[in-house]
Amino acid sequence: MREPRTSGRWAASRLSRLTAVLALGASALLSATGPVHAAPVNDPLPVDIPDYQAALDAVRSTDVRNAVCRFLSVPVPQGGSDTVHTIPDKADPCEGMPAFTIKDPLPVSEITPGFVAGTSQPIAAEAVKLTRLVSSLDSTVNDRQVTVMLAPTQGGGWHLAAVREGDDDTTYAAKAGAGTLVFAEPQIRGWYLLKLITVEPLNDQAREGLGGGSSMSLSDYQKLVKARYADKLPASEYDTKGMSSGYGSASGAEGASSTAPSLVGGSSAALVLVAGAFFLFRRRRNTTG
């Protein structure tokens, strides 16, 4: 296999890797098809981003850069949650914008429906699944930071799903290291670090989700999420009757609300900035397979 570029090796060596005890099912963690980005020779058991070069190409593309500039060209909305600002249609969206670079993408995984239902084993390969990639800027632009979210493209590769205010996603995703994995419980906006079979909270929502504890076994965590969501999975009575929202994972730009403004991927004419109504996590009628 051709040796990857330096930035790719750095990202692979630093992020989303599991140790030997997880190796048996590691391939199940990544559902997207395509070649796997190779790891350095001193990294024995990598779990990497499929089509990593495509992800790099996406965040470095003119289209994604222009989308970020369009997002940053509109001030952060103030006032009510229904405030809507149309993004200016400029020939060069980045004209007059301070220089910035979009960092290499980081993986974000989420708990799987099978893990929630209790039908999957409490091991990393079955408990969580790669759902999206996130990138932030190398510096703030006009005192603002953003997150660029990539979603897997059917048949392989990655495409822009959204640009959103802030960099919490990338801050948490960057906490993964050798032998650890970061994953999200989007229903409560909780972020966790998985060390072998131990779950540790990374934010207040996750700590609350663990009942205030500093850590928990993956098996005990499964019992918690099963109690919270097992009756709300797709095709459940809760889902089919349209009660609140069903359970699901991140899917482009639909589902649970967030207070962060966001620009949803699409044509420039359709890009709208909405305060308090960014739909990131689809909780209803979205299976993860």
Side-chain angles (χ1 to χ4, degrees):
M1 180 180 291
R2 182 169 57 89
E3 184 69 13
R5 64 179 66 184
T6 301
S7 60
R9 295 201 311 271
W10 177 84
S13 66
R14 185 175 172 219
L15 300 167
S16 191
R17 296 189 297 260
L18 302 177
T19 56
V21 74
L22 305 178
L24 180 62
S27 61
L29 177 63
L30 305 176
S31 61
T33 59
V36 175
H37 172 60
V41 293
N42 62 349
D43 192 1
L45 292 167
V47 177
D48 295 322
I49 299 170
D51 290 336
Y52 185 73
Q53 187 58 54
L56 285 177
D57 291 343
V59 297
R60 295 169 180 170
S61 69
T62 300
D63 287 345
V64 169
R65 185 177 185 84
N66 286 345
V68 171
C69 290
R70 291 189 187 100
F71 180 84
L72 292 170
S73 68
V74 177
V76 177
Q78 304 294 324
S81 62
D82 58 348
T83 304
V84 176
H85 296 274
T86 302
I87 296 174
D89 186 12
K90 297 168 56 178
D92 180 5
C94 297
E95 182 181 358
M97 193 77 64
F100 64 86
T101 299
I102 304 174
K103 295 180 182 179
D104 292 350
L106 308 176
V108 173
S109 297
E110 292 180 13
I111 52 176
T112 65
F115 181 72
V116 171
T119 57
S120 298
Q121 295 297 312
I123 59 175
E126 297 186 23
V128 298
K129 181 178 181 179
L130 180 68
T131 56
R132 64 190 186 277
L133 307 179
V134 293
S135 304
S136 59
L137 309 184
D138 65 334
S139 60
T140 59
V141 175
N142 298 331
D143 296 322
R144 293 170 65 185
Q145 182 57 269
V146 303
T147 294
V148 174
M149 188 177 81
L150 302 181
T153 301
Q154 187 174 7
W158 299 88
H159 64 273
L160 177 66
V163 180
R164 66 177 302 183
E165 193 77 19
D167 61 351
D168 285 353
D169 288 14
T170 56
T171 297
Y172 291 123
K175 292 183 181 295
T180 66
L181 176 72
V182 168
F183 71 92
E185 183 185 337
Q187 295 73 24
I188 63 170
R189 298 178 194 151
W191 288 87
Y192 303 87
L193 186 68
L194 180 59
K195 295 181 177 180
L196 299 180
I197 55 173
T198 300
V199 176
E200 297 181 0
L202 293 177
N203 64 355
D204 290 340
Q205 293 92 327
R207 275 184 285 277
E208 184 177 351
L210 297 186
S214 60
S215 66
M216 179 177 291
S217 71
L218 188 58
S219 178
D220 286 342
Y221 175 70
Q222 183 178 31
K223 295 174 184 177
L224 285 181
V225 295
K226 181 178 180 182
R228 284 201 278 264
Y229 313 121
D231 62 344
K232 301 174 180 64
L233 289 164
S236 66
E237 182 179 9
Y238 185 94
D239 179 37
T240 57
K241 287 188 175 180
M243 299 167 61
S244 182
S245 330
Y247 167 87
S249 67
S251 177
E254 303 177 35
S257 64
S258 166
T259 57
S262 172
L263 177 152
V264 178
S267 66
S268 60
L271 294 176
V272 176
L273 187 66
V274 183
F278 170 54
F279 299 122
L280 174 60
F281 302 113
R282 177 191 280 274
R283 291 186 183 177
R284 187 175 182 210
R285 301 184 185 281
N286 178 38
T287 59
T288 57

